Amino acid sequence: MERWYLMTTVVLIGLTVRWTVSLNSYSGAGKPPMFGDYEAQRHWQEITFNLPIKQWYFNSSDNDLLYWGLDYPPLTAYHSLLCAYVAKFINPDWIALHTSRGYESQAHKLFMRTTVLVADLLIYIPAVVLYCCCLKEMSTKKKIANALCILLYPGLILIDYGHFQNIYNSVSLGFALWGVLGVSYDWDLLGSLAFCLAINYKQMELYHSLPFFCFLLGKCFKKGLKGKGFILLIKLACTVVASFILCWLPFFTEREQTLQVLRRLFPVDRGLFEDKVANVWCSFSIFLKIKDILPHHIQIIISFCFTFLSLLPACIKLILQPSPKAFKFTLVTCALSFFLFSFQVHEKSILLVSLPVCLVLSEIPLMSTWFLLVSTFSMLPLLLKDELLMPSVVTMVAFFIACATSFSIFEKTSEEELQLKSFSISVRKYLPYFTFLPRIIQHLFLISIIMMVLLTLMTVTLDPPQKLPDLFSVLVCFVSCLNFLFFLIYFNIIIMWDSKSRRSQKKIS
């Protein structure tokens, strides 16, 4: 009884923080002609309610695609339609065709914020609570502390409730988390269904698709493709195909209809990267303007090759040695590879990496906390543009304190607790004096925190040179990218040396 009382308190704290952040102004408020991402969500409700399904993704006099045209999968459109019916019941003016463009009122803001909170309560928060309750070899207090830290992750809160990049990130991430729970505890069909819903809500969930595919394929191989494994493979294929058909059924009536939706979902014409994003292509464009030097199709090929090669080792290892632990870490490395190297990346896509990092928070608390702080910092230019400096600082400090007190992160810095023991042993075969890796990581952590604090202070207090107006934004991206490259190497080391670590533990026992 006490456990559920404490868990309820944690959920209420998470909801309170979210609602408090949402009381700030949102992206694009009172700024015509586009009005920002808040208006995009309202406009999608207007379009889905007033136009037939066949017109949702096509340009017309009633649906100007240049004005926040739908560019997310069908499940997002259905969600917008559901919200539109509720809006129609409360106030039809909110979704009136044409005349509601740029609509702003306190009542409507309250409605939109409530829809995000309800989505969190129905999908994301229950998944977090159940995941933490299912963690093994942890005390009840540790499970509750873990749930608190995940729910206090500032990146998701600031984007969904502060910036109001209200594509309901918690919905797709929540479905993905339900998928992780399903396949990790052998509810493979339910897990596959949940992840299909995630992809059909937000196409960027493809960042997580390869680990799901490799983990389930590895399970099938393990069971034997001439017996139970083959049956499982057929069941999984039927589940995936059926879920996609149900979501896309209204758009399968005509070939052009399907192609138009796909064109909207994958707009390759937008370029290699968008705005200031902490990935390799944007950060290193300081030295080499790839977007200006190479043809468009060559950029696509190069980004594909780098992405594929960087995630390949972890995916192969997961197929050969499938386990829930390897699955979670492979989710991190694959999502991070996509973020760093893939084509047309947005700064908010780092949230797709942050979700699986939250899932290993209890296993490597120092590194996970560090990554989650950097991921929020990497969005600093966007957050400052929306006047979210104070909410950003407060939520990041609160998250850091929660992690530091819950997991004693500064005490858990040994090779074993950083999950680098087997790697260090391998290196010591050639370099006997290689005993200083934990100290290096501690120093890198402190340097990273100091750099983030200094860059934040500089961005807020100093004016950039006239010839370099984006200086501080570019520095934020570059420093964040260097951190992410380090994390990519670190998480891959954990994956590749994991089996050696398990073998050595078996010998000891």
CSV table of all heavy atoms in Angstrom, one decimal, residues 88-121:
chain,number,residue,atom,x,y,z
A,88,LYS,N,-14.7,21.0,-30.9
A,88,LYS,CA,-16.0,21.4,-31.5
A,88,LYS,C,-17.1,21.5,-30.5
A,88,LYS,O,-18.0,22.4,-30.5
A,88,LYS,CB,-16.4,20.4,-32.6
A,88,LYS,CG,-17.8,20.6,-33.2
A,88,LYS,CD,-17.9,21.7,-34.2
A,88,LYS,CE,-19.2,21.7,-34.9
A,88,LYS,NZ,-19.3,22.9,-35.8
A,89,PHE,N,-17.1,20.5,-29.5
A,89,PHE,CA,-18.1,20.5,-28.5
A,89,PHE,C,-18.0,21.7,-27.5
A,89,PHE,O,-19.0,22.3,-27.1
A,89,PHE,CB,-18.0,19.2,-27.7
A,89,PHE,CG,-18.9,19.1,-26.5
A,89,PHE,CD1,-20.2,18.7,-26.7
A,89,PHE,CD2,-18.4,19.3,-25.2
A,89,PHE,CE1,-21.1,18.6,-25.7
A,89,PHE,CE2,-19.3,19.2,-24.1
A,89,PHE,CZ,-20.6,18.8,-24.4
A,90,ILE,N,-16.7,22.1,-27.3
A,90,ILE,CA,-16.5,23.2,-26.3
A,90,ILE,C,-16.7,24.6,-27.0
A,90,ILE,O,-17.4,25.4,-26.5
A,90,ILE,CB,-15.1,23.2,-25.7
A,90,ILE,CG1,-14.9,21.8,-25.0
A,90,ILE,CG2,-14.8,24.3,-24.8
A,90,ILE,CD1,-13.4,21.6,-24.6
A,91,ASN,N,-16.1,24.8,-28.2
A,91,ASN,CA,-16.2,26.0,-28.9
A,91,ASN,C,-15.9,25.8,-30.4
A,91,ASN,O,-14.7,25.6,-30.7
A,91,ASN,CB,-15.2,27.1,-28.3
A,91,ASN,CG,-15.4,28.4,-28.9
A,91,ASN,OD1,-16.0,28.6,-29.9
A,91,ASN,ND2,-14.8,29.5,-28.2
A,92,PRO,N,-16.9,25.8,-31.2
A,92,PRO,CA,-16.6,25.6,-32.7
A,92,PRO,C,-15.7,26.5,-33.3
A,92,PRO,O,-15.1,26.2,-34.4
A,92,PRO,CB,-18.1,25.7,-33.3
A,92,PRO,CG,-19.0,25.4,-32.1
A,92,PRO,CD,-18.3,26.0,-30.9
A,93,ASP,N,-15.6,27.7,-32.8
A,93,ASP,CA,-14.7,28.7,-33.4
A,93,ASP,C,-13.2,28.3,-33.4
A,93,ASP,O,-12.4,28.8,-34.2
A,93,ASP,CB,-14.8,30.1,-32.6
A,93,ASP,CG,-16.1,30.7,-32.8
A,93,ASP,OD1,-16.8,30.4,-33.8
A,93,ASP,OD2,-16.5,31.6,-32.0
A,94,TRP,N,-12.9,27.4,-32.5
A,94,TRP,CA,-11.5,27.0,-32.4
A,94,TRP,C,-11.0,26.2,-33.6
A,94,TRP,O,-9.8,26.2,-33.9
A,94,TRP,CB,-11.3,26.0,-31.2
A,94,TRP,CG,-11.4,26.7,-29.8
A,94,TRP,CD1,-11.6,28.1,-29.6
A,94,TRP,CD2,-11.5,26.1,-28.5
A,94,TRP,NE1,-11.7,28.3,-28.3
A,94,TRP,CE2,-11.7,27.2,-27.6
A,94,TRP,CE3,-11.5,24.8,-28.1
A,94,TRP,CZ2,-11.8,26.9,-26.2
A,94,TRP,CZ3,-11.6,24.5,-26.7
A,94,TRP,CH2,-11.8,25.6,-25.8
A,95,ILE,N,-11.9,25.6,-34.3
A,95,ILE,CA,-11.6,24.8,-35.5
A,95,ILE,C,-12.3,25.1,-36.7
A,95,ILE,O,-12.4,24.3,-37.7
A,95,ILE,CB,-11.7,23.3,-35.2
A,95,ILE,CG1,-13.2,23.0,-34.7
A,95,ILE,CG2,-10.7,22.8,-34.1
A,95,ILE,CD1,-13.5,21.5,-34.7
A,96,ALA,N,-12.9,26.3,-36.7
A,96,ALA,CA,-13.6,26.8,-37.9
A,96,ALA,C,-12.7,26.9,-39.1
A,96,ALA,O,-11.6,27.5,-39.0
A,96,ALA,CB,-14.3,28.1,-37.6
A,97,LEU,N,-13.1,26.4,-40.3
A,97,LEU,CA,-12.2,26.4,-41.5
A,97,LEU,C,-11.9,27.8,-41.9
A,97,LEU,O,-12.8,28.6,-42.0
A,97,LEU,CB,-12.9,25.6,-42.6
A,97,LEU,CG,-12.1,25.3,-43.8
A,97,LEU,CD1,-10.9,24.4,-43.5
A,97,LEU,CD2,-12.9,24.7,-44.9
A,98,HIS,N,-10.7,28.1,-42.1
A,98,HIS,CA,-10.1,29.4,-42.5
A,98,HIS,C,-10.2,30.5,-41.4
A,98,HIS,O,-9.2,31.1,-41.1
A,98,HIS,CB,-10.9,29.9,-43.8
A,98,HIS,CG,-10.8,29.0,-45.0
A,98,HIS,ND1,-9.6,28.5,-45.4
A,98,HIS,CD2,-11.8,28.5,-45.8
A,98,HIS,CE1,-9.8,27.8,-46.5
A,98,HIS,NE2,-11.1,27.7,-46.7
A,99,THR,N,-11.3,30.7,-40.8
A,99,THR,CA,-11.5,31.8,-39.9
A,99,THR,C,-10.8,31.6,-38.6
A,99,THR,O,-10.6,32.5,-37.8
A,99,THR,CB,-13.0,32.1,-39.6
A,99,THR,OG1,-13.6,30.9,-39.1
A,99,THR,CG2,-13.7,32.5,-40.9
A,100,SER,N,-10.4,30.3,-38.3
A,100,SER,CA,-9.8,30.1,-37.0
A,100,SER,C,-8.2,30.2,-37.0
A,100,SER,O,-7.6,30.0,-36.0
A,100,SER,CB,-10.1,28.6,-36.5
A,100,SER,OG,-9.7,27.7,-37.4
A,101,ARG,N,-7.7,30.5,-38.2
A,101,ARG,CA,-6.3,30.6,-38.4
A,101,ARG,C,-5.7,31.6,-37.4
A,101,ARG,O,-6.1,32.7,-37.2
A,101,ARG,CB,-5.9,31.0,-39.8
A,101,ARG,CG,-4.4,31.1,-40.1
A,101,ARG,CD,-4.1,31.3,-41.5
A,101,ARG,NE,-4.4,30.2,-42.3
A,101,ARG,CZ,-3.9,30.0,-43.6
A,101,ARG,NH1,-3.1,30.9,-44.1
A,101,ARG,NH2,-4.2,28.9,-44.3
A,102,GLY,N,-4.7,31.2,-36.6
A,102,GLY,CA,-4.0,32.0,-35.6
A,102,GLY,C,-4.8,32.2,-34.4
A,102,GLY,O,-4.5,33.1,-33.6
A,103,TYR,N,-5.8,31.4,-34.2
A,103,TYR,CA,-6.7,31.6,-33.0
A,103,TYR,C,-6.0,31.5,-31.7
A,103,TYR,O,-5.2,30.5,-31.5
A,103,TYR,CB,-7.9,30.6,-33.0
A,103,TYR,CG,-9.0,30.9,-32.0
A,103,TYR,CD1,-10.1,31.6,-32.4
A,103,TYR,CD2,-8.8,30.5,-30.7
A,103,TYR,CE1,-11.2,31.8,-31.5
A,103,TYR,CE2,-9.8,30.7,-29.8
A,103,TYR,CZ,-11.0,31.4,-30.2
A,103,TYR,OH,-12.0,31.7,-29.3
A,104,GLU,N,-6.1,32.4,-30.8
A,104,GLU,CA,-5.5,32.4,-29.5
A,104,GLU,C,-6.5,32.9,-28.4
A,104,GLU,O,-7.0,34.0,-28.6
A,104,GLU,CB,-4.2,33.3,-29.5
A,104,GLU,CG,-3.1,32.7,-30.4
A,104,GLU,CD,-1.9,33.6,-30.4
A,104,GLU,OE1,-1.9,34.6,-29.6
A,104,GLU,OE2,-0.9,33.4,-31.1
A,105,SER,N,-6.6,32.2,-27.4
A,105,SER,CA,-7.4,32.6,-26.2
A,105,SER,C,-7.0,31.8,-25.0
A,105,SER,O,-6.4,30.7,-25.2
A,105,SER,CB,-8.9,32.4,-26.5
A,105,SER,OG,-9.3,31.1,-26.5
A,106,GLN,N,-7.3,32.3,-23.9
A,106,GLN,CA,-6.9,31.6,-22.6
A,106,GLN,C,-7.6,30.3,-22.5
A,106,GLN,O,-7.0,29.3,-22.1
A,106,GLN,CB,-7.2,32.5,-21.4
A,106,GLN,CG,-6.3,33.7,-21.2
A,106,GLN,CD,-4.8,33.3,-21.1
A,106,GLN,OE1,-4.5,32.3,-20.5
A,106,GLN,NE2,-4.0,34.1,-21.8
A,107,ALA,N,-8.9,30.2,-22.9
A,107,ALA,CA,-9.6,29.0,-22.9
A,107,ALA,C,-9.0,27.9,-23.8
A,107,ALA,O,-8.9,26.7,-23.5
A,107,ALA,CB,-11.1,29.2,-23.2
A,108,HIS,N,-8.6,28.4,-25.0
A,108,HIS,CA,-8.0,27.4,-26.0
A,108,HIS,C,-6.7,27.0,-25.5
A,108,HIS,O,-6.3,25.8,-25.7
A,108,HIS,CB,-8.0,28.1,-27.4
A,108,HIS,CG,-7.6,27.1,-28.4
A,108,HIS,ND1,-6.3,27.1,-29.0
A,108,HIS,CD2,-8.3,26.1,-29.0
A,108,HIS,CE1,-6.3,26.2,-29.9
A,108,HIS,NE2,-7.4,25.5,-29.9
A,109,LYS,N,-5.9,27.9,-25.0
A,109,LYS,CA,-4.6,27.4,-24.4
A,109,LYS,C,-4.8,26.4,-23.3
A,109,LYS,O,-4.0,25.4,-23.3
A,109,LYS,CB,-3.8,28.6,-23.8
A,109,LYS,CG,-3.4,29.7,-24.9
A,109,LYS,CD,-2.8,30.9,-24.2
A,109,LYS,CE,-2.5,32.0,-25.2
A,109,LYS,NZ,-2.0,33.2,-24.5
A,110,LEU,N,-5.7,26.6,-22.5
A,110,LEU,CA,-6.0,25.6,-21.4
A,110,LEU,C,-6.4,24.3,-22.0
A,110,LEU,O,-6.0,23.2,-21.6
A,110,LEU,CB,-7.1,26.1,-20.5
A,110,LEU,CG,-7.6,25.2,-19.4
A,110,LEU,CD1,-6.5,25.0,-18.4
A,110,LEU,CD2,-8.8,25.8,-18.7
A,111,PHE,N,-7.2,24.3,-23.1
A,111,PHE,CA,-7.6,23.1,-23.8
A,111,PHE,C,-6.5,22.3,-24.4
A,111,PHE,O,-6.3,21.1,-24.2
A,111,PHE,CB,-8.7,23.4,-24.9
A,111,PHE,CG,-8.9,22.3,-25.8
A,111,PHE,CD1,-9.7,21.2,-25.4
A,111,PHE,CD2,-8.4,22.4,-27.1
A,111,PHE,CE1,-9.9,20.2,-26.3
A,111,PHE,CE2,-8.7,21.3,-28.0
A,111,PHE,CZ,-9.4,20.2,-27.6
A,112,MET,N,-5.6,23.1,-25.1
A,112,MET,CA,-4.5,22.4,-25.8
A,112,MET,C,-3.5,21.8,-24.7
A,112,MET,O,-3.0,20.7,-24.9
A,112,MET,CB,-3.8,23.4,-26.6
A,112,MET,CG,-4.6,23.9,-27.8
A,112,MET,SD,-4.9,22.6,-29.0
A,112,MET,CE,-3.4,22.7,-30.0
A,113,ARG,N,-3.2,22.6,-23.7
A,113,ARG,CA,-2.3,22.1,-22.6
A,113,ARG,C,-2.9,20.8,-22.0
A,113,ARG,O,-2.2,19.9,-21.6
A,113,ARG,CB,-2.1,23.1,-21.6
A,113,ARG,CG,-1.2,24.2,-22.1
A,113,ARG,CD,-1.3,25.5,-21.2
A,113,ARG,NE,-0.3,26.5,-21.6
A,113,ARG,CZ,-0.5,27.8,-21.4
A,113,ARG,NH1,-1.5,28.2,-20.7
A,113,ARG,NH2,0.5,28.7,-21.8
A,114,THR,N,-4.2,20.8,-21.8
A,114,THR,CA,-4.9,19.7,-21.2
A,114,THR,C,-4.8,18.4,-22.0
A,114,THR,O,-4.6,17.3,-21.5
A,114,THR,CB,-6.4,20.0,-20.9
A,114,THR,OG1,-6.5,21.2,-20.1
A,114,THR,CG2,-7.1,18.8,-20.2
A,115,THR,N,-4.9,18.6,-23.4
A,115,THR,CA,-4.8,17.5,-24.3
A,115,THR,C,-3.4,16.8,-24.2
A,115,THR,O,-3.3,15.6,-24.2
A,115,THR,CB,-5.0,17.9,-25.7
A,115,THR,OG1,-4.0,18.8,-26.2
A,115,THR,CG2,-6.4,18.4,-25.9
A,116,VAL,N,-2.4,17.6,-24.0
A,116,VAL,CA,-1.0,17.0,-23.8
A,116,VAL,C,-0.9,16.3,-22.5
A,116,VAL,O,-0.4,15.2,-22.4
A,116,VAL,CB,0.1,18.1,-23.8
A,116,VAL,CG1,1.5,17.5,-23.8
A,116,VAL,CG2,-0.1,19.0,-25.1
A,117,LEU,N,-1.5,16.9,-21.4
A,117,LEU,CA,-1.4,16.2,-20.1
A,117,LEU,C,-2.2,14.9,-20.1
A,117,LEU,O,-1.8,13.9,-19.5
A,117,LEU,CB,-2.0,17.2,-19.1
A,117,LEU,CG,-1.6,17.0,-17.6
A,117,LEU,CD1,-0.1,17.2,-17.5
A,117,LEU,CD2,-2.3,17.9,-16.7
A,118,VAL,N,-3.4,14.9,-20.8
A,118,VAL,CA,-4.2,13.7,-20.8
A,118,VAL,C,-3.4,12.6,-21.6
A,118,VAL,O,-3.4,11.4,-21.2
A,118,VAL,CB,-5.5,14.0,-21.5
A,118,VAL,CG1,-6.3,12.7,-21.8
A,118,VAL,CG2,-6.4,14.9,-20.6
A,119,ALA,N,-2.8,13.0,-22.7
A,119,ALA,CA,-2.0,12.0,-23.5
A,119,ALA,C,-0.9,11.4,-22.6
A,119,ALA,O,-0.6,10.2,-22.6
A,119,ALA,CB,-1.4,12.7,-24.7
A,120,ASP,N,-0.2,12.3,-21.8
A,120,ASP,CA,0.8,11.8,-20.9
A,120,ASP,C,0.2,10.8,-19.9
A,120,ASP,O,0.8,9.7,-19.6
A,120,ASP,CB,1.4,13.0,-20.1
A,120,ASP,CG,2.8,13.3,-20.6
A,120,ASP,OD1,3.2,12.7,-21.6
A,120,ASP,OD2,3.4,14.2,-20.0
A,121,LEU,N,-0.9,11.2,-19.3
A,121,LEU,CA,-1.6,10.3,-18.3
A,121,LEU,C,-2.0,9.0,-18.8
A,121,LEU,O,-2.0,8.0,-18.1
A,121,LEU,CB,-2.8,11.1,-17.7
A,121,LEU,CG,-2.5,11.9,-16.4
A,121,LEU,CD1,-3.7,12.8,-16.1
A,121,LEU,CD2,-2.1,11.1,-15.2
